[in-house]
Amino acid sequence: MPRLILWDIDHTLIDTRGVGRELSAAAFLQTTGQVMREQAKIDGITEPVIFRETAKLHGLTTDRTDFERFARALTEEHLKRTAHLRERGHALPGAAAALDALDAVEIRQAVVSGNIRPVSEIKLQVFGLDRHIRWELGAYGEDNDSRAELVKLALRRANTTAEDAVLIGDTPADVEGAHVNGVRVIAVASGRSDEAALRNAGAEVVLSDLRDAELLVKLVQGESE
C-alpha cells in the first residue's frame, strides 16, 4: 500500500477558468510596472520559471528578488479575489470524493505544485479541497525551478521512499518529474494534455477524470491497472 499521494493542483483538482492568468497579470504589473501582454508556457512549469520567461517576453531581465516580490503580489491578489476565484473557477468532477476516499484508507496526501505554497493553499481552500492535505509534506514553486526536484523534496519531507508514493497529475511534466525519481504516476486527462499524450509520456495509468473514487483507490493500491 503506498503511503503518500502527491497531488498536482491546476487541471488535476481544480480549474480556475482564466482567473489564475488574470491574477498573475495583476501581480506582474505590480512587480514590473508593465502590463502583461502575453504569458510564457504554464502547463507543468513552476512559478519562478513562468515569471522569468514571461518577463523575457517583455524585454525584462529578472532575479530572485524580483520573483519574491511577484510571489508576494500574487498571494495578495489571490487573497483579495477569493470570491471571484470561487465564482468563476470550480473543483473538477470527483476531486472532493477522491481526496475523501484516499483519506479513508489512511494514505497521506500532499501537494507537488508549480504554484507557490500560499497560492496552493488558497486555491484548494476556496474549493473546499484542503481538508486532507498535509501541506508541510509538499513541495512548491518557490522551492525549486524543476518539478523533478520538487518531487524529490516532497519525498524527503515526507520521509517516504519512491516505492511508497504515487503522483497524480495532468501533464507530461508531472509524469517526467515523478519518473525521474522512480515514483509511479496516475495521470488524469482533465487538462490540456489528452490521454494519448499522457500515455506517450509514460504514465502507468491514465484516467479521463476523477469521478470513480473507488477505482482510483484500487489503482493507487496497485490492485487494478
Side-chain angles (χ1 to χ4, degrees), residues 8 14 25 33 37 54 57 64 79 92 100 105 114 118 125 139 143 147 170 176-177 195 202-203 211 214 223:
D8 175 58
I14 70 166
R37 301 184 306 275
T54 298
L57 294 175
R64 183 69 185 186
L79 287 170
L92 287 173
D100 288 345
V105 293
Q125 287 167 0
D143 291 322
R147 189 167 289 269
D170 71 290
E176 180 182 357
E195 293 189 28
R211 294 175 192 269
E214 182 179 353
E223 294 179 8

Side-chain angles (χ1 to χ4, degrees), residues 32 34 51-52 55-64 66:
T32 67
Q34 290 198 26
F51 172 70
R52 183 172 66 240
K56 286 181 181 178
L57 294 175
H58 295 76
L60 302 172
T61 300
T62 57
D63 58 19
R64 183 69 185 186
D66 294 318

Side-chain angles (χ1 to χ4, degrees), residues 8-215:
D8 175 58
I9 293 179
D10 293 299
H11 303 293
T12 300
L13 291 171
I14 70 166
D15 185 348
T16 68
R17 301 188 70 181
V19 176
R21 190 184 192 284
E22 294 172 10
L23 301 184
S24 291
F28 188 84
L29 176 61
Q30 288 183 45
T31 305
T32 67
Q34 290 198 26
V35 173
M36 192 179 84
R37 301 184 306 275
E38 55 184 324
Q39 188 177 37
K41 177 184 176 183
I42 61 172
D43 286 350
I45 311 300
T46 58
E47 199 70 70
V49 177
I50 297 169
F51 172 70
R52 183 172 66 240
E53 295 303 312
T54 298
K56 286 181 181 178
L57 294 175
H58 295 76
L60 302 172
T61 300
T62 57
D63 58 19
R64 183 69 185 186
T65 300
D66 294 318
F67 170 70
E68 289 172 354
R69 290 173 54 224
F70 172 78
R72 289 193 294 271
L74 187 62
T75 300
E76 291 168 3
E77 288 298 322
H78 277 78
L79 287 170
K80 285 192 301 185
R81 299 183 67 185
T82 53
H84 186 53
L85 181 60
R86 185 179 297 111
E87 178 183 345
R88 283 262 303 276
H90 60 89
L92 287 173
L99 290 159
D100 288 345
L102 290 166
D103 181 71
V105 293
E106 300 183 344
I107 299 177
R108 294 180 298 170
Q109 299 181 74
V111 162
V112 169
S113 174
N115 289 293
I116 58 175
R117 177 170 170 173
V119 169
S120 298
E121 293 182 358
I122 292 165
K123 284 182 172 181
L124 293 194
Q125 287 167 0
V126 161
F127 299 111
L129 301 177
D130 60 316
R131 57 187 177 276
H132 303 309
I133 299 298
R134 298 281 300 275
W135 294 105
E136 75 281 6
L137 304 183
Y140 311 93
E142 68 269 29
D143 291 322
N144 200 285
D145 288 359
S146 163
R147 189 167 289 269
E149 289 299 316
L150 296 183
V151 174
K152 182 186 296 184
L153 178 58
L155 293 175
R156 186 162 68 246
R157 286 175 171 169
N159 192 27
T160 298
T161 65
E163 293 76 16
D164 284 331
V166 176
L167 185 142
I168 304 177
D170 71 290
T171 70
D174 292 315
V175 178
E176 180 182 357
H179 283 174
V180 166
N181 292 282
V183 174
R184 187 162 58 96
V185 176
I186 296 174
V188 189
S190 46
R192 296 182 180 90
S193 299
D194 62 18
E195 293 189 28
L198 294 167
R199 291 189 189 282
N200 289 338
E204 288 84 350
V205 176
V206 180
L207 301 175
S208 58
D209 55 46
L210 295 171
R211 294 175 192 269
D212 192 336
E214 182 179 353
L215 173 61

